[in-house]
Amino acid sequence: MDFGKIFSDGVREALGVNAAAYALAAIGLNVQYGLTGLLNFGQVGFLLVGAYGTAITVKETGAPLWAGFLVGILAAIGLAAVLGIPTLRLRADYLAIVTIASAEILRVLAGSRHLEGFTGGPFGIRGWAGSFYDLNPFSPGRYGAGKVSFDHNTLWVMTVAWTLVILASVLVWLLKRSPYGRVLRSIREDEDAARSLGKNAYVIKIQSLAVGGVIGALGGMVIAVNFQFTNDDFWLSPFTFLMYTVLIIGGVGSVIGPVLGAMLFWFVYQSLDSLLRQAIHEGVFGDVLTSTDAGPLRLAFVGLTLMLLMIYRPQGIFGNRQEALIDDR
Amino acid sequence: MSADATTNGAILQARGMRRAFGGLVAVDVESFSVMRGSITALIGPNGAGKTTLFNVLTGFERADHGEWTFDDRDVSGWPAYRIARAGMVRTFQIPKALARMSVLENMKLAAQTQRGEGFFPALLRRLWCDEEARIEARGVELLEWVGLAKQRDDYAGTLSGGQRKLLELGRALMTNPRLVMLDEPTAGVNPALTEQLLDRIRSVRDEGATVLFVEHDMDVVGSISDRVICMAQGSVIAEGTAAEVVADPQVIDAYLGERHGEAAMPTSEGPT
């Protein structure tokens, strides 16, 4: 087996656009769940409105791409308001139910034939991100070292995406160390206590949902711009749970956790795929597995990893172990 | 209203307050007042509606009807956070320590009108670092006062039950309240710590705040309260000094059951 290839495949994905987009999505979740304790099970919905908000604006109105991005961001804020205003007065579980349902509703709407003129239905929307690549400062060619290299367009998306990851991480770091972050954590710990001390928990929770949602929407835009395309299949609900996986691997509540969690997730995910494919190709598993089994198998491995983490290292890689072990509600 | 002439001395005044859960009338209080600068104990058998009254007054539970004023301001139906900001701060029967925050962070959270609690100001440290230093100094001072200075950097979740009660008291005081409402401050607290707690409660009053507290231990009630209000089955049945209330036959009935083998309490005054 070619372990060099397995390793370089992993590294390529760990640095790639997907890892950056997952990192953004997980950073958003970290604001909502890690800092504020909001169980948002529909983060993928925020990615969806980011992607579609951009794509539809550009495609329908001919507006420049930056205006599309702005609409995508506003759409995420709007979604946070629509989800948060009715549910955040209720117990925490209701937000989980409403968010997972509305993410599905949005996805089904996006793929609906009735809205085909608008969203492209199952065929999606393409050909709206061209102006992003016109700004590409890298001259055509391949960049990288050894077996890990990217073409100039991918490198351009990566540059922008990882810049966004850094900016979002700095934002979370600034919030976390501030009195505002303290209020967020107090709501996570005990909302009634926060209210009894004069904190308007309701408004702060909506803010947190919106901030995390906007960061998630940036992730959605990154994915859509990278493919220069979006359709409903991009935004399946299990995606949200992969984001949670990333967050838990990295460490819930830590600033750098979701970023390194995303990189590690993609490294393992991709090198495992490489490994399985090679092993199957070389007949290691005989007739038991065929190459189409590699995909589902690596997903099963993700589930297994998540279980082991929860049992043996609940704080993830960068989380605070002491904090993770305190549980006295 | 002419009745207001008599309310000058009251910091908290409620009228016609009622709260029912389905058919169960938890609170049905004609009139309820707490005198400014007093330590007032709220007693009553289990299920008398003391905690529900607390919850309604502090905005944690809706009243079906009724109005109440705090410091001559109508605060009926205000949400909990606004009541707290107005200076009426409560603690909980089961203390709500913010477990995965340090003891000092618990205290700092409670300071009011913090500039750094706004989303945008939070991003610029220089806008709130002076304020934060003042808050921290005050928090440390109060922690020393409640006797938790040594635990300041521990997670609040590692404190014992009694220490949590102390933390809650300190945290409530951190808001600079004019009325502190303590729900069973001594429940689950060991005797030595109870003494310390009562001592602290007395000095809260001596420094000008008003204290209203729910209590079951009559020794505690007798030793620190200026006034006692007794509730039973949702209503106020007696009011006065500790000695007066304890001697009131209605109070004795409420605790020990009605005399002469009359019908059991819940049916005699059940909902109509």
Side-chain angles (χ1 to χ4, degrees):
Chain A
M1 271 194 278
D2 182 357
F3 285 101
K5 179 173 168 12
I6 290 167
F7 182 74
S8 59
D9 281 352
V11 170
R12 192 181 306 112
E13 281 301 313
L15 299 175
V17 177
N18 276 330
Y22 273 58
L24 284 168
I27 291 168
L29 267 188
N30 199 24
V31 172
Q32 298 161 342
Y33 174 66
L35 297 184
T36 326
L38 302 176
L39 269 181
N40 172 13
F41 279 163
Q43 178 72 333
V44 72
F46 286 97
L47 277 78
L48 184 153
V49 297
Y52 272 93
T54 309
I56 291 172
T57 305
V58 174
K59 195 77 178 177
E60 291 287 316
T61 68
L65 193 58
W66 64 263
F69 290 143
L70 199 64
V71 171
I73 288 169
L74 291 176
I77 295 172
L79 180 61
V82 168
L83 297 181
I85 288 171
T87 53
L88 286 176
R89 282 191 201 280
L90 305 174
R91 263 198 355 249
D93 341 21
Y94 291 98
L95 182 71
I97 296 165
V98 167
T99 47
I100 194 167
S102 45
E104 269 301 278
I105 290 169
L106 285 169
R107 184 185 67 82
V108 170
L109 279 179
S112 159
R113 301 297 299 248
H114 298 289
L115 294 173
E116 213 172 291
F118 198 51
T119 62
F123 307 109
I125 318 175
R126 69 179 77 238
W128 45 270
S131 60
F132 179 82
Y133 293 94
D134 296 342
L135 295 172
N136 192 347
F138 302 109
S139 44
R142 287 199 76 83
Y143 297 83
K147 287 181 185 163
V148 181
S149 70
F150 305 94
D151 67 36
H152 60 289
N153 279 338
T154 306
L155 187 67
W156 172 224
V157 186
M158 280 166 59
T159 309
V160 173
W162 285 111
T163 306
L164 288 173
V165 169
I166 291 166
L167 291 176
S169 299
V170 169
L171 177 75
V172 172
W173 176 70
L174 287 173
L175 286 181
K176 197 184 162 187
R177 66 167 189 169
S178 75
Y180 183 82
R182 190 159 63 213
V183 178
L184 293 185
R185 275 177 294 140
S186 77
I187 292 170
R188 177 190 74 189
E189 292 305 306
D190 194 317
E191 194 184 325
D192 281 344
R195 290 162 67 211
S196 79
L197 298 170
K199 312 303 171 193
N200 189 348
Y202 178 60
V203 163
I204 304 241
K205 286 199 293 183
I206 292 174
Q207 286 177 359
S208 165
L209 193 62
V211 171
V214 166
I215 298 173
L218 296 177
M221 294 172 195
V222 164
I223 292 173
V225 165
N226 185 40
F227 286 96
Q228 306 191 47
F229 174 62
T230 171
N231 78 354
D232 55 330
D233 285 343
F234 278 44
W235 318 107
L236 297 165
S237 270
F239 191 175
T240 298
F241 297 98
L242 293 183
M243 299 171 204
Y244 268 101
T245 307
V246 162
L247 180 58
I248 290 167
I249 291 173
V252 177
S254 92
V255 174
I256 197 76
V259 181
L260 294 177
M263 297 177 83
L264 187 67
F265 174 86
W266 274 100
F267 176 80
V268 174
Y269 200 55
Q270 191 56 44
S271 34
L272 200 65
D273 188 68
S274 252
L275 177 75
L276 283 170
R277 273 174 208 286
Q278 285 189 39
I280 290 165
H281 186 71
E282 287 171 17
V284 174
F285 299 110
D287 295 335
V288 181
L289 295 176
T290 65
S291 56
T292 50
D293 296 327
L297 254 182
R298 64 179 183 166
L299 267 177
F301 186 78
V302 168
L304 184 67
T305 314
L306 200 55
M307 279 192 278
L308 292 173
L309 266 174
M310 294 314 284
I311 296 168
Y312 295 106
R313 205 176 161 84
Q315 77 275 28
I317 299 170
F318 293 95
N320 183 328
R321 179 161 185 88
Q322 243 193 313
E323 216 177 273
L325 290 179
I326 290 179
D327 181 30
D328 64 343
R329 300 226 193 148
Chain B
M1 250 193 259
S2 60
D4 281 2
T6 61
T7 68
N8 283 343
I11 190 168
L12 175 66
Q13 170 108 27
R15 259 181 255 110
M17 186 179 274
R18 186 184 159 94
R19 172 66 172 150
F21 299 101
L24 177 78
V25 180
V27 169
D28 188 3
V29 167
E30 209 44 59
S31 149
F32 179 90
S33 60
V34 176
M35 292 300 144
R36 201 181 297 272
S38 69
I39 295 181
T40 302
L42 183 59
I43 64 167
N46 287 328
K50 305 180 298 288
T51 294
T52 307
L53 180 67
F54 255 48
N55 287 345
V56 171
L57 286 171
T58 53
F60 278 86
E61 199 116 50
R62 255 190 357 264
D64 297 330
H65 53 75
E67 47 195 53
W68 59 105
T69 57
F70 171 66
D71 238 1
D72 301 324
R73 210 156 23 142
D74 186 0
V75 296
S76 346
W78 281 22
Y81 77 93
R82 278 186 72 197
I83 299 252
R85 285 179 190 181
M88 181 167 152
V89 171
R90 59 93 50 98
T91 66
F92 296 87
Q93 197 171 345
I94 298 158
K96 292 183 182 295
L98 303 163
R100 288 178 294 174
M101 291 169 72
S102 78
V103 168
L104 184 57
E105 276 182 310
N106 267 264
M107 298 296 289
K108 282 153 77 174
L109 174 78
Q112 295 299 294
T113 55
Q114 298 186 38
R115 196 167 182 203
E117 286 185 357
F119 179 81
F120 291 108
L123 303 177
L124 263 180
R125 190 161 194 279
R126 53 148 36 127
L127 290 180
W128 46 263
C129 60
D130 293 346
E131 176 189 74
E132 182 78 356
R134 277 198 305 278
I135 290 169
E136 179 155 337
R138 171 81 178 135
V140 170
E141 198 182 302
L142 271 172
L143 278 180
E144 271 161 19
W145 185 76
V146 294
L148 290 173
K150 261 189 246 152
Q151 286 83 6
R152 56 175 271 180
D153 295 321
D154 296 352
Y155 282 109
T158 64
L159 297 182
S160 73
Q163 288 174 324
R164 285 176 200 215
K165 289 276 185 191
L166 284 166
L167 174 61
E168 263 209 332
L169 177 65
R171 205 170 63 185
L173 294 179
M174 189 76 190
T175 65
N176 283 324
R178 272 166 299 160
L179 173 62
V180 192
M181 299 172 60
L182 309 170
D183 199 348
E184 300 196 18
T186 65
V189 180
N190 73 52
L193 221 48
T194 299
E195 265 321 303
Q196 190 186 348
L197 226 145
L198 297 182
D199 199 48
R200 297 294 177 259
I201 292 173
R202 266 189 219 104
S203 60
V204 168
R205 176 202 48 197
D206 296 343
E207 278 165 34
T210 307
V211 179
L212 171 67
F213 73 114
V214 171
E215 187 53 73
H216 281 297
D217 185 334
M218 290 310 289
D219 289 337
V220 168
V221 171
S223 75
I224 71 162
S225 47
D226 305 312
R227 271 165 52 85
V228 175
I229 299 172
C230 180
M231 282 180 80
Q233 292 172 32
S235 308
V236 172
I237 57 166
E239 232 180 305
T241 64
E244 285 165 12
V245 168
V246 170
D248 191 309
Q250 282 205 66
V251 174
I252 298 168
D253 284 352
Y255 274 94
L256 301 179
E258 296 198 26
R259 296 159 295 177
H260 315 308
E262 287 168 14
M265 275 182 289
T267 48
S268 65
E269 283 184 32
T272 49

